[in-house]
């Protein structure tokens, strides 16, 4: 697999002019040589657009890396029992079953395909710097590509590598950071994390003064208002999203002070409001299930309704709970246990808008993504949880209570239960967004499960096996 990954797009970038996704087809309708593609500013923009299109596919964040494979592993769904169900083996961590092997292989190959195309862009962007209309555009495109490379590698590490707590010197994944057809050996966990952080900091340095979703928001928002390249920056891995990702990475690495510093750059102290243009939700609304004012980075997926339909939509409902091989449902009782009131004044916005009925009165399915064309990948709430965990004590409690107030919940008063309460908020907040499996892995817990808890041996479950073809190219050790 490594050989295939490395050769895709190195000498010839395949670009189909029908759609962004066609660009990455194995048999495109036309081929454009890399030298020609990168001879214009629009060529660089097309590459970035194509990478986002790859990320939005069902192999990655359009399903498997969010509400699908990764959330099934986190035991969000406790109604997977039909023998023909797509995830019947996944829910029990049976990674070597045929369906799971295909899913794992597709995640690996698609993610690295996106990385390879980012590396070609980064190879050409400095030598073709003259094609950019302005220095600002050059800096944003290069910074975005570096941040995306870090983002994609980090999630590969979180799936296919040991966690730092398991051993930071253990072999993990190859970090592809150059334009080459030479296969790379796997780096250690520590080495991958160091390279992720280096890419993120380089990206932040490039974008800090020129990205409208950064510290210069007030100065840039009007001048960028009519520039289609720089509008809607929450659909791109912008400066603030990159900083939030840095907080996520540093927490995973166990660097709590660095994680806190990155989070605080965006959310400030507990008594402050987050930086512009972000705002914390102040009400519950079925028209704003995703709390859009809090989203730092999201994917635009026009066909998301069709993607979720077999799992949470009309097709799932028509098939019925006991007959569907795709429906992802969970117990009403367990939902109520997690989201139930802890105070008479609690009025959880998420409980009111994120759930849909099924054919059984005892089971529910998610309604969080209903009528949406977005898949949130980084949001403000995570930064409050990170700050709460890293600060600890009364300050940590203040951070947690800050975001709870914007979910319709009463403040906690007992700092001794801070870690337990952060965990509960993670479980609620990140349903369908593919983050909880990594929480369990980061903590190296011996049980896993939001709605259906399973006892496990972390070393046997937390590291997905490399695809067989990748192992064939020398990555068994």
């Amino acid at each position: 697999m490594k050989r295939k990954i490395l050769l895709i797009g190195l000498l010839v970038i395949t670009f189909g002019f029908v759609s962004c996704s066609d660009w990455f087809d194995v048999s495109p309708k036309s081929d454009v040589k890399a030298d020609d593609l990168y001879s214009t500013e629009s060529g660089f923009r097309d590459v970035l657009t194509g990478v986002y299109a790859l990320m939005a596919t069902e192999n990655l964040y359009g399903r498997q890396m969010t509400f699908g494979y990764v959330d099934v592993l986190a035991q969000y769904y406790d109604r997977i029992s039909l023998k023909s169900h797509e995830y019947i083996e996944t829910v029990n961590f049976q990674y070597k079953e045929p369906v799971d092997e295909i899913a794992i292989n597709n995640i690996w190959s698609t993610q690295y395909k996106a990385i390879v195309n980012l590396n070609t862009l980064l190879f050409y962007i400095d030598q073709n710097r003259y094609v950019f209309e302005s220095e600002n555009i050059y800096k944003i495109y290069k910074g975005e590509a570096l941040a995306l490379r870090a983002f994609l590698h980090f999630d590969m590490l979180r799936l296919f590598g040991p966690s730092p707590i398991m051993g930071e010197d253990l072999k993990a994944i190859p970090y592809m950071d150059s334009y080459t057809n030479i296969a790379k050996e796997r780096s250690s966990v520590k080495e991958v994390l160091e390279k992720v952080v280096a890419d993120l900091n380089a990206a932040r340095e490039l974008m800090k003064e020129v990205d409208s979703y950064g510290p210069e928001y007030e100065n840039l928002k009007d001048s960028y208002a009519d520039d289609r390249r720089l509008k809607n920056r929450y659909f791109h891995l912008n400066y603030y999203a990159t900083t939030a990702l840095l907080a996520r990475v540093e927490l995973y690495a166990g660097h709590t002070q660095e994680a806190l510093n990155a989070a605080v750059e965006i959310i400030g102290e507990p008594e402050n409001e987050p930086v512009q243009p972000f705002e914390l939700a102040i009400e519950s609304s079925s028209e704003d299930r995703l709390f859009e004012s809090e989203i730092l980075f999201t994917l635009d997926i026009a066909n998301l309704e069709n993607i979720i339909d077999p799992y949470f939509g009309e097709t799932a409902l028509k098939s019925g709970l006991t007959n569907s091989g795709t429906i992802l449902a969970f117990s009403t009782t367990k939902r109520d246990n997690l989201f139930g009131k802890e105070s008479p004044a609690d009025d959880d916005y998420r409980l009111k808008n994120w759930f849909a009925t099924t054919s059984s009165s005892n089971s529910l399915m998610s309604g969080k993504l209903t009528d949406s064309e977005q898949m949130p990948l980084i949001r403000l709430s995570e930064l409050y949880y990170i700050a709460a965990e890293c600060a600890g004590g009364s300050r940590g409690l203040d951070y947690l209570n800050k975001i709870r107030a914007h979910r319709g919940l009463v403040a906690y008063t007992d700092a001794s239960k801070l870690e337990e309460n952060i965990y509960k908020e993670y479980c609620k907040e990140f349903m369908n967004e593919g983050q909880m499996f990594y929480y369990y892995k980061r903590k190296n817990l011996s049980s896993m499960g939001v709605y259906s808890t399973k006892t496990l041996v972390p070393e046997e479950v937390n590291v997905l096996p490399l695809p067989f073809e990748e192992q064939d190219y020398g990555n068994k050790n």
Side-chain angles (χ1 to χ4, degrees), residues 54-106:
L54 264 184
M55 292 172 67
T57 62
E58 290 192 55
N59 285 342
L60 298 182
Y61 301 93
R63 174 165 63 98
Q64 299 290 41
M65 297 284 279
T66 50
F67 72 84
Y69 202 88
V70 178
D71 265 6
V72 171
L73 294 178
Q75 309 300 309
Y76 263 106
Y77 316 106
D78 66 349
R79 290 293 187 263
I80 298 176
S81 58
L82 192 68
K83 289 184 178 180
S84 60
H85 196 286
E86 178 178 356
Y87 293 114
I88 189 63
E89 303 296 349
T90 309
V91 75
N92 292 314
F93 314 112
Q94 299 301 306
Y95 301 133
K96 296 188 181 298
E97 292 298 315
V99 173
D100 288 75
E101 285 187 339
I102 292 171
I104 289 170
N105 180 75
N106 287 341

Side-chain angles (χ1 to χ4, degrees), residues 216-249:
E216 297 298 315
Y217 171 74
E218 279 295 332
N219 297 326
L220 296 173
K221 64 178 182 178
D222 292 334
S223 60
Y224 286 175
D226 297 322
D227 191 330
R228 67 186 183 91
R229 299 167 300 180
L230 299 172
K231 291 194 300 183
N232 301 326
R233 289 292 293 161
Y234 52 88
F235 288 124
H236 298 257
L237 200 46
N238 56 74
Y239 173 84
Y240 280 135
T242 300
T243 301
L245 177 58
L246 179 62
R248 179 188 287 177
V249 172

Side-chain angles (χ1 to χ4, degrees), residues 203-211 214-216 220 239 265:
R204 278 164 26 91
E205 185 65 26
L206 283 161
M207 294 191 289
K208 186 173 184 178
E209 296 180 356
V210 298
D211 191 346
E216 297 298 315
L220 296 173
Y239 173 84
E265 183 177 341

Side-chain angles (χ1 to χ4, degrees), residues 400-450:
L400 183 59
N401 283 333
K402 175 79 170 190
I403 189 65
R404 277 177 59 82
H406 290 271
R407 294 296 180 266
L409 300 172
V410 172
Y412 287 127
T413 58
D414 188 353
S416 69
K417 296 183 178 179
L418 181 60
E419 184 174 358
E420 173 188 341
N421 289 325
I422 292 172
Y423 165 68
K424 287 193 292 186
E425 290 303 311
Y426 264 95
C427 289
K428 289 183 278 189
E429 185 76 4
F430 296 110
M431 180 176 73
N432 297 155
E433 296 182 21
Q435 293 301 319
M436 277 311 297
F437 175 75
Y438 307 130
Y439 180 96
Y440 294 114
K441 181 170 180 173
R442 174 169 67 87
K443 298 283 190 178
N444 205 38
L445 300 178
S446 58
S447 63
M448 186 179 296
V450 176

Side-chain angles (χ1 to χ4, degrees), residues 233-436:
R233 289 292 293 161
Y234 52 88
F235 288 124
H236 298 257
L237 200 46
N238 56 74
Y239 173 84
Y240 280 135
T242 300
T243 301
L245 177 58
L246 179 62
R248 179 188 287 177
V249 172
E250 295 285 22
L251 180 65
Y252 191 78
H255 303 154
T256 55
Q257 187 59 55
E258 290 84 351
L260 180 61
N261 292 344
V264 167
E265 183 177 341
I266 297 172
I267 63 175
E269 295 301 316
E271 64 272 16
N272 299 144
E273 294 305 310
V275 296
Q276 291 184 307
F278 310 107
E279 296 179 354
L280 292 166
I282 57 173
E283 62 183 354
S284 169
S285 168
S286 60
E287 284 74 44
D288 186 24
R289 292 185 176 91
L290 299 179
F291 311 126
E292 288 191 25
S293 65
E294 298 183 6
I295 295 175
L296 281 77
F297 173 44
T298 185
L299 291 178
D300 183 13
I301 307 179
N303 66 330
L304 185 58
E305 183 178 356
N306 293 332
I307 292 175
I308 68 171
D309 183 56
Y311 306 96
F312 311 124
E314 290 298 320
T315 296
L317 285 174
K318 289 177 182 177
S319 299
L321 189 65
T322 58
N323 296 318
S324 173
T326 54
I327 191 171
L328 296 173
F330 37 81
S331 160
T332 303
T333 300
K334 291 186 177 180
R335 186 283 310 263
D336 292 343
N337 288 341
L338 178 60
F339 283 85
K341 288 188 175 185
E342 298 180 65
S343 165
D346 279 346
D347 187 27
D348 198 318
Y349 301 165
R350 299 161 298 192
L351 178 61
K352 295 165 70 172
N353 293 304
W354 284 5
F355 299 93
T357 58
T358 68
S359 57
S360 168
S361 61
N362 298 320
S363 298
L364 298 163
M365 60 185 185
S366 173
K368 183 178 182 179
L369 299 174
T370 301
D371 299 325
S372 175
E373 294 184 350
Q374 293 187 44
M375 181 61 75
L377 297 184
I378 305 177
R379 52 171 68 249
L380 275 178
S381 53
E382 182 179 1
L383 297 180
Y384 285 92
Y385 303 146
I386 290 173
E389 181 175 343
C390 294
S394 60
R395 186 183 179 208
L397 190 63
D398 288 342
Y399 276 117
L400 183 59
N401 283 333
K402 175 79 170 190
I403 189 65
R404 277 177 59 82
H406 290 271
R407 294 296 180 266
L409 300 172
V410 172
Y412 287 127
T413 58
D414 188 353
S416 69
K417 296 183 178 179
L418 181 60
E419 184 174 358
E420 173 188 341
N421 289 325
I422 292 172
Y423 165 68
K424 287 193 292 186
E425 290 303 311
Y426 264 95
C427 289
K428 289 183 278 189
E429 185 76 4
F430 296 110
M431 180 176 73
N432 297 155
E433 296 182 21
Q435 293 301 319
M436 277 311 297

Side-chain angles (χ1 to χ4, degrees), residues 97-289:
E97 292 298 315
V99 173
D100 288 75
E101 285 187 339
I102 292 171
I104 289 170
N105 180 75
N106 287 341
I107 290 170
W108 178 277
S109 61
T110 310
Q111 197 91 327
Y112 271 108
K113 184 187 291 187
I115 290 168
V116 164
N117 283 283
L118 290 169
N119 282 336
T120 62
L121 181 155
L122 290 165
F123 174 82
Y124 279 94
I125 198 166
D126 285 334
Q127 62 181 353
N128 289 3
R129 193 168 180 168
Y130 64 90
V131 307
F132 288 91
E133 182 180 319
S134 73
E135 184 73 1
N136 288 4
I137 301 296
Y138 158 79
K139 288 182 176 180
I140 287 176
Y141 283 12
K142 183 176 180 181
E144 206 170 313
L146 286 167
L148 282 167
R149 184 170 74 184
F151 181 100
L152 296 171
H153 276 108
F154 180 57
D155 275 359
M156 293 298 278
L157 172 67
R158 292 199 293 177
L159 274 182
F160 294 97
S163 62
I165 199 172
M166 294 169 66
E168 64 178 12
D169 293 324
L170 296 175
K171 290 294 184 181
I173 62 166
Y175 200 95
M176 305 303 301
D177 57 359
S178 59
Y179 176 82
T180 178
N181 62 355
I182 300 174
K184 285 199 171 186
E185 295 300 321
R186 290 186 293 159
S187 299
S188 70
V189 174
K190 181 180 181 181
E191 290 168 339
V192 173
L193 287 170
E194 287 175 346
K195 290 179 179 181
V196 167
V197 170
D199 272 351
L200 292 177
N201 281 326
R204 278 164 26 91
E205 185 65 26
L206 283 161
M207 294 191 289
K208 186 173 184 178
E209 296 180 356
V210 298
D211 191 346
S212 60
Y213 272 43
E216 297 298 315
Y217 171 74
E218 279 295 332
N219 297 326
L220 296 173
K221 64 178 182 178
D222 292 334
S223 60
Y224 286 175
D226 297 322
D227 191 330
R228 67 186 183 91
R229 299 167 300 180
L230 299 172
K231 291 194 300 183
N232 301 326
R233 289 292 293 161
Y234 52 88
F235 288 124
H236 298 257
L237 200 46
N238 56 74
Y239 173 84
Y240 280 135
T242 300
T243 301
L245 177 58
L246 179 62
R248 179 188 287 177
V249 172
E250 295 285 22
L251 180 65
Y252 191 78
H255 303 154
T256 55
Q257 187 59 55
E258 290 84 351
L260 180 61
N261 292 344
V264 167
E265 183 177 341
I266 297 172
I267 63 175
E269 295 301 316
E271 64 272 16
N272 299 144
E273 294 305 310
V275 296
Q276 291 184 307
F278 310 107
E279 296 179 354
L280 292 166
I282 57 173
E283 62 183 354
S284 169
S285 168
S286 60
E287 284 74 44
D288 186 24
R289 292 185 176 91

